[in-house]
């Protein structure tokens, strides 16, 4: 039995796990365990344990497939990898010749592909396309981009030393965000306070010192209330505010517009509770407000994220022990940002980036003012944090694909990314895919997105490749993952795809690496060791943390300080201070509030529903509803219902839950039926169960600065289905 150190990519948390490989070397025989050294020994969940059975599933694609019938018909033929890549390169070259390089768009999930190393952006930048998108547009990258506007980096919580943790809707559990769950529990054992803000009485709410059951989508209003208390009662760090912030008096004036009585009306939380939570956060420090995907997905997202940054900053919790640390770059490891060659993309092509005119926050246009400060502080001009800075707006990309405005996009590559179901307005995305001249999917299975492709290329998996992780550019902590078994069949990774395409399109000199391992060796050369040596020696590697680096370098913002008032946003045509957009008018035809995007323990995004052990635990898509609302609607447990918004409807099974507040229903993310055959018009059940078809992306439901959808507070209605199985 051989033992390897690996990073599980069953989700994007990347738990470091131990794998035992039998002499057979077959992935289905591999056993996955938690590491046996604290603090890693508890960091594994059911997704990681059952991963080998999923990767050895009989329906996994092992050879390249070329479509032979209509898109979605399920008609394919096997072809060779070289034959497929030759045709893809020729067809892409023809599209670029007709429409320009901006006619290529790419959507990836790099936590799935792992071996990209920035090569996807490198290829696109050399080709001349700025139209890269990812689900991180509404899950962490948008937070990273807005954090950079405030203080120049995306800070990482110091859980071991913190004294107070604030969770805005975030609910890490034993089998979801497992390392974060464990870190929070250890912090509580050491005496840290826990404040939870969540409409539901969640698992973490049950363990909290304070639970504030705020209305879905009211995070920004709650932050205004906290700032009102902290500023009025002088609970902030006055020395830091005086020396290291700009715009404090302007912020004070804006905050004065939010007396606690108003915040109570906006959030549904009593003023006394709001004040108590603000005082606990401000006086219990050092404290952390960890990133939360919930705040990422609201129509007031930019303001809410900025307000959280401001709470950290004025309370003295930025870049201090027990607070939130600005990691910057590892001095001896080549960062993916350096490999991406953003400087190779001309200003003319950057200006064509879709959505940058209307929703610029995380686009090249939005990030432009941070180039010089980033070079000054971090020594790098293009920090691409969470793989999504300098990204196009997804809705704008899909509209260009579907309708050709402002220009046509005619080639689309999706790598480890079930694009159809991963963004808002699934109806638009399907039209966009059907209007392409070339669609290529690098995948394990014939997902609903892959069913609409011209080619499906078989991707490798995390047990079948070496890789190096730094938290997607977030941290300066590097962790290795070792190959356990060889990829089956003709399965290959993102490195092979981008290198192979680049070599066929005249970029041989810019892609000089013969193997993925040679690229990893180059990235680690500054440490004086190869990847193989690094993986054998280090579970993780970082230089000693340095705190309060701003005292030496300033912050990586144009002013060199924490920008409470943003000249950058002002210059882009937006309010330089955080603000509040009132809820949309009450819709009598859709009287309930929809809360979507919450993960289920067994699944990650749209994946894992083919794994029998996980499916047995959670076999059907469930709508969570309160006992009061179920009673009013006459819904018994297990009744099939349609949940409908003005965008569309989705069919789910009723699950009555005591923790759900009245008036709010919860819809699961990413449901489809891998066992359902292709060709029946439902895309394997996606058009029956997928939540993306009820998510609107009109102006009222998009955050203004980022253009990301509002998923936490959509008006909906629920109706029972007469008979359906």
């Amino acid at each position: 039995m051989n033992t390897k150190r690996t990073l599980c990519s069953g989700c994007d948390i990347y738990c470091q796990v131990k794998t035992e490989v039998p002499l057979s070397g077959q992935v289905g025989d591999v056993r996955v365990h938690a590491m046996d050294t604290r603090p890693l020994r508890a960091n594994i969940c059911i997704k990681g344990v059952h991963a080998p059975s999923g990767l050895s599933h009989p329906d996994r694609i092992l050879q390249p497939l070329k479509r032979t019938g209509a898109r979605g018909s399920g008609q394919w033929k096997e072809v060779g990898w070289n034959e497929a890549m030759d045709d893809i390169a020729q067809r892409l070259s023809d599209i670029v010749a007709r429409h320009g390089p901006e006619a290529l768009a790419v959507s990836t999930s790099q936590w799935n592909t792992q071996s990209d190393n920035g090569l996807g952006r490198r290829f696109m930048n050399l080709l001349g396309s700025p139209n890269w998108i990812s689900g991180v547009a509404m899950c962490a990258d948008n937070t990273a981009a807005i954090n950079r506007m405030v203080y120049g980096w995306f800070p990482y919580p110091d859980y071991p030393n913190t004294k107070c943790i604030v969770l805005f809707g975030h609910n890490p559990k034993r089998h979801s965000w497992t390392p974060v769950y464990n870190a929070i529990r250890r912090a509580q054992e050491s005496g840290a306070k826990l404040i939870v803000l969540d409409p539901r009485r969640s698992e973490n709410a049950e363990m909290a010192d304070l639970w504030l059951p705020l209305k879905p989508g009211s995070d920004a209003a709650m932050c205004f209330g906290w700032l009102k208390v902290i500023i009025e009662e002088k609970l902030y760090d006055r020395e830091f505010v005086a020396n290291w912030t700009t715009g404090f008096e302007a912020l004070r004036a804006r905050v004065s517009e939010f007396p606690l009585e108003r915040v109570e009306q906006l959030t549904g939380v009593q003023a006394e509770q709001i004040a108590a939570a603000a005082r606990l956060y401000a006086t219990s420090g050092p404290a952390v407000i960890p990133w939360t995907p919930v705040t990422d997905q609201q129509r007031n997202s930019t303001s809410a994220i900025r307000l959280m940054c401001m709470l950290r900053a004025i309370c003295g919790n930025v870049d201090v022990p027990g607070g939130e640390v600005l990691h910057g770059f590892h001095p001896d490891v080549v960062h993916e940002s350096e490999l991406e060659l953003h400087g190779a993309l001309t200003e003319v092509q950057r200006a064509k980036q879709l959505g940058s005119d209307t929703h610029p926050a995380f686009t090249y246009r939005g990030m432009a003012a941070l180039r010089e400060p980033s070079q000054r502080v971090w020594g790098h001009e293009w920090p691409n944090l969470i793989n999504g800075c300098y990204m196009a707006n997804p809705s704008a990309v899909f509209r260009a694909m579907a309708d050709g405005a402002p220009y046509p996009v005619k080639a689309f590559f999706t790598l480890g990314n079930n694009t159809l179901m991963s963004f808002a307005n699934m109806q638009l995305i399907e039209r966009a895919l059907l209007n392409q001249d070339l669609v290529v999917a690098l995948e394990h299975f014939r997902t609903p997105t892959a069913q609409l492709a011209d080619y499906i290329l078989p991707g490798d998996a995390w047990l079948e490749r070496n890789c190096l992780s730094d938290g997607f550019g977030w941290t300066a902590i590097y962790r290795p993952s070792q190959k356990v078994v060889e990829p089956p069949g003709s399965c290959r990774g993102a490195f092979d795809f981008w290198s192979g395409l680049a070599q066929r399109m005249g970029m041989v000199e810019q892609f000089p690496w013969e193997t993925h391992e040679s690229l990893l060796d180059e990235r680690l050369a500054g440490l004086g060791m190869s990847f193989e040596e690094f993986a054998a020696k280090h579970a993780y590697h970082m230089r000693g943390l340095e705190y309060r680096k701003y005292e030496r370098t300033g912050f990586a913002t144009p002013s060199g300080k924490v920008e409470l008032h943003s000249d950058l946003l002002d210059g882009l045509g937006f309010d330089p201070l955080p603000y509040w957009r009132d809820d949309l008018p009450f819709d009598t035809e859709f009287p309930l509030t929809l809360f979507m995007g919450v993960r289920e323990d067994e699944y990650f995004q749209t994946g894992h529903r083919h794994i029998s052990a996980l499916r047995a635990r959670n076999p059907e898509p469930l709508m969570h509803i309160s006992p009061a609302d179920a009673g009013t609607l006459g819904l018994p447990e297990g009744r099939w219902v349609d949940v409908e918004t003005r965008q569309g409807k989705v069919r789910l099974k009723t699950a009555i839950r005591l923790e759900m507040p009245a008036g709010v229903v919860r819809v699961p993310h990413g449901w489809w039926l891998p066992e359902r055959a292709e060709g029946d018009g439902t895309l394997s059940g996606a058009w029956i169960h997928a939540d993306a078809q009820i998510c609107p992306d009109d102006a009222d439901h998009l955050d203004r600065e980022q253009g990301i959808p509002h998923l936490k507070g959509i008006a909906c209605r629920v109706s029972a289905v007469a008979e359906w199985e």
Side-chain angles (χ1 to χ4, degrees):
M1 189 74 70
N2 189 15
T3 299
K4 298 281 189 176
R5 180 185 289 133
T6 50
L7 297 175
C8 173
S9 69
C11 80
D12 54 1
I13 300 300
Y14 273 19
C15 291
Q16 195 145 40
V17 295
K18 181 173 65 175
T19 59
E20 293 180 351
V21 191
L23 295 178
S24 69
Q26 298 299 309
V27 68
D29 297 326
V30 172
R31 297 182 64 197
V32 181
H33 304 269
M35 299 294 286
D36 53 11
T37 56
R38 193 176 178 94
L40 302 175
R41 67 169 175 252
N43 291 347
I44 192 170
C45 78
I46 51 178
K47 292 183 283 292
V49 170
H50 292 291
S53 65
L55 300 178
S56 60
H57 195 279
D59 290 340
R60 182 175 172 183
I61 300 168
L62 302 181
Q63 301 295 332
L65 299 177
K66 182 177 183 179
R67 179 172 58 85
T68 59
R71 286 193 168 125
S73 66
Q75 299 176 55
W76 306 93
K77 71 172 182 178
E78 290 187 358
V79 295
W81 185 276
N82 286 334
E83 177 186 344
M85 290 297 293
D86 288 346
D87 190 41
I88 291 166
Q90 183 59 58
R91 291 170 69 175
L92 177 60
S93 297
D94 293 344
I95 290 168
V96 170
R98 290 197 306 273
H99 302 290
E102 63 272 15
L104 168 66
V106 174
S107 182
T108 73
S109 296
Q110 283 164 272
W111 50 94
N112 290 333
T113 62
Q114 285 186 310
S115 66
D116 180 281
N117 290 279
L119 298 190
R121 297 304 297 269
R122 186 184 187 92
F123 175 87
M124 294 182 72
N125 289 332
L126 290 167
L127 183 73
S129 174
N131 292 321
W132 190 97
I133 63 171
S134 170
V136 296
M138 51 186 176
C139 188
D141 164 66
N142 55 333
T143 300
I146 302 305
N147 273 252
R148 287 187 63 197
M149 291 180 177
V150 180
Y151 34 50
W153 196 266
F154 187 15
Y156 193 80
D158 182 7
Y159 290 110
N161 298 303
T162 196
K163 300 301 181 185
C164 181
I165 300 169
V166 179
L167 298 178
F168 270 86
H170 201 17
N171 187 38
K173 297 182 288 183
R174 290 186 185 275
H175 294 289
S176 182
W177 281 288
T178 305
V180 178
Y181 171 88
N182 291 328
I184 293 170
R185 301 289 84 82
R186 287 195 295 267
Q188 286 186 285
E189 290 169 5
S190 299
K193 303 296 184 182
L194 178 63
I195 304 170
V196 172
L197 304 99
D198 199 311
R200 310 157 296 166
R201 192 175 183 91
S202 67
E203 289 85 346
N204 277 280
E206 292 282 358
M207 294 181 277
D209 295 276
L210 284 177
W211 169 47
L212 280 62
L214 77 174
K215 287 169 53 180
S218 65
D219 296 25
M222 179 61 70
C223 290
F224 271 122
W226 283 27
L227 284 165
K228 174 71 172 173
V229 172
I230 291 167
I231 293 174
E232 200 168 75
E233 298 183 7
K234 295 183 171 58
L235 302 178
Y236 57 91
D237 185 332
R238 278 169 276 185
E239 182 179 355
F240 182 88
V241 167
N243 295 330
W244 291 105
T245 69
T246 65
F248 181 72
E249 291 306 318
L251 175 65
R252 185 201 298 269
R254 179 60 56 87
V255 167
S256 70
E257 301 172 13
F258 292 86
L260 292 192
E261 295 75 17
R262 181 186 179 194
V263 177
E264 179 177 309
Q265 291 177 343
L266 294 174
T267 65
V269 178
Q270 293 181 353
E272 294 80 7
Q273 284 184 286
I274 298 169
R279 293 179 188 124
L280 184 62
Y281 170 74
T283 61
S284 298
V288 298
I289 306 174
W291 161 74
T292 166
V294 174
T295 308
D296 285 348
Q297 300 163 0
Q298 300 178 20
R299 64 198 296 268
N300 285 304
S301 174
T302 297
S303 287
I305 294 168
R306 292 185 67 202
L307 289 162
M308 289 178 185
C309 294
M310 294 170 189
L311 282 165
R312 296 184 188 107
I314 72 167
C315 291
N317 290 321
V318 175
D319 217 26
V320 298
E324 301 188 52
V325 183
L326 308 176
H327 273 243
F329 292 87
H330 192 298
D332 301 316
V333 181
V334 177
H335 195 272
E336 286 191 9
S337 297
E338 300 174 67
L339 295 167
E340 290 172 344
L341 298 184
H342 292 282
L345 188 64
T346 67
E347 291 288 352
V348 170
Q349 292 305 108
R350 284 183 209 137
K352 295 178 183 179
Q353 191 168 51
L354 290 164
S356 63
D357 54 340
T358 52
H359 304 295
F362 47 66
T363 69
Y364 282 112
R365 177 173 170 243
M367 297 279 98
L370 298 175
R371 286 171 57 186
E372 184 281 327
S374 295
Q375 180 68 45
R376 168 172 47 83
V377 173
W378 305 119
H380 297 278
E381 192 175 3
W382 304 96
N384 188 4
L385 308 188
I386 317 295
N387 300 136
C389 295
Y390 324 113
M391 179 166 52
N393 175 263
S395 290
V397 169
F398 296 132
R399 293 185 195 285
M401 290 169 61
D403 302 322
Y407 56 77
V409 171
K410 302 301 291 184
F412 184 75
F413 297 166
T414 173
L415 290 82
N417 177 257
N418 193 357
T419 309
L420 180 73
M421 300 169 59
S422 297
F423 300 87
N425 195 346
M426 189 165 138
Q427 294 87 344
L428 169 66
I429 302 171
E430 185 185 54
R431 280 203 304 116
L433 292 169
L434 293 176
N435 194 39
Q436 295 301 286
D437 292 342
L438 175 64
V439 177
V440 178
L442 181 73
E443 264 297 352
H444 291 164
F445 297 93
R446 291 193 287 271
T447 65
T449 304
Q451 291 177 30
L452 301 178
D454 298 291
Y455 282 99
I456 309 177
L457 302 178
D460 65 3
W462 59 274
L463 290 167
E464 303 158 7
R465 59 190 172 223
N466 294 311
C467 83
L468 192 64
S469 170
D470 62 353
F472 313 107
W474 191 354
T475 74
I477 305 169
Y478 279 84
R479 299 181 296 156
S481 185
Q482 296 173 291
K483 180 191 289 188
V484 174
V485 295
E486 291 298 322
S490 295
C491 294
R492 301 187 187 183
F495 172 89
D496 299 279
F497 175 76
W498 290 119
S499 294
L501 192 60
Q503 290 161 7
R504 288 170 169 82
M505 296 189 68
M507 303 179 193
V508 175
E509 292 185 1
Q510 294 91 349
F511 283 75
W513 308 281
E514 292 187 8
T515 65
H516 180 219
E517 285 68 30
S518 64
L519 174 54
L520 294 177
D521 289 346
E522 181 177 312
R523 294 185 64 192
L524 293 167
L527 291 172
M529 62 184 76
S530 67
F531 173 79
E532 184 177 356
E533 293 167 330
F534 179 85
K537 185 176 182 179
H538 296 289
Y540 56 89
H541 184 281
M542 67 178 300
R543 298 299 185 193
L545 280 178
E546 180 185 354
Y547 301 102
R548 297 183 178 88
K549 295 179 286 296
Y550 56 84
E551 294 179 346
R552 175 172 49 85
T553 65
F555 289 93
T557 61
S559 68
K561 297 184 177 184
V562 176
E563 301 199 349
L564 309 178
H565 175 284
S566 177
D567 289 341
L568 191 162
L569 283 171
D570 192 22
L572 292 170
F574 298 98
D575 196 325
L577 292 166
Y579 57 90
W580 172 256
R581 294 165 72 192
D582 283 330
D583 292 342
L584 295 170
F586 181 75
D587 191 335
T588 56
E589 294 184 48
F590 296 84
L592 297 172
T593 297
L594 186 65
F595 189 98
M596 57 181 26
V598 179
R599 297 180 182 180
E600 299 167 293
D601 287 356
E602 296 81 6
Y603 309 124
F604 177 65
Q605 314 297 35
T606 71
H608 307 321
R609 287 169 180 82
H610 65 290
I611 300 176
S612 58
L614 300 181
R615 191 66 176 276
R617 289 171 54 106
N618 189 355
E620 295 169 311
L622 302 179
M623 173 203 68
H624 290 190
I625 191 169
S626 72
D629 290 329
T632 299
L633 294 169
L635 297 177
E637 181 78 12
R639 182 67 178 267
W640 285 99
V641 297
D642 284 337
V643 179
E644 188 174 3
T645 70
R646 291 201 176 273
Q647 178 71 25
K649 67 181 178 181
V650 62
R651 186 153 294 179
L652 307 167
K653 204 169 190 178
T654 299
I656 301 171
R657 296 288 186 265
L658 294 176
E659 72 271 15
M660 290 297 298
V664 178
V665 297
R666 194 213 106 174
V667 170
H669 172 55
W671 265 90
W672 62 292
L673 307 174
E675 70 275 12
R676 187 161 182 159
E678 297 176 61
D680 68 352
T682 72
L683 295 179
S684 295
W687 280 116
I688 302 171
H689 300 304
D691 58 321
Q693 63 193 300
I694 59 174
C695 303
D697 70 343
D698 59 280
D700 284 339
H701 289 89
L702 292 181
D703 173 90
R704 288 171 176 161
E705 292 86 350
Q706 304 170 51
I708 53 91
H710 181 63
L711 305 182
K712 308 296 188 265
I714 303 171
C716 73
R717 64 187 176 205
V718 175
S719 56
V721 176
E723 288 187 22
W724 190 80
E725 288 295 337

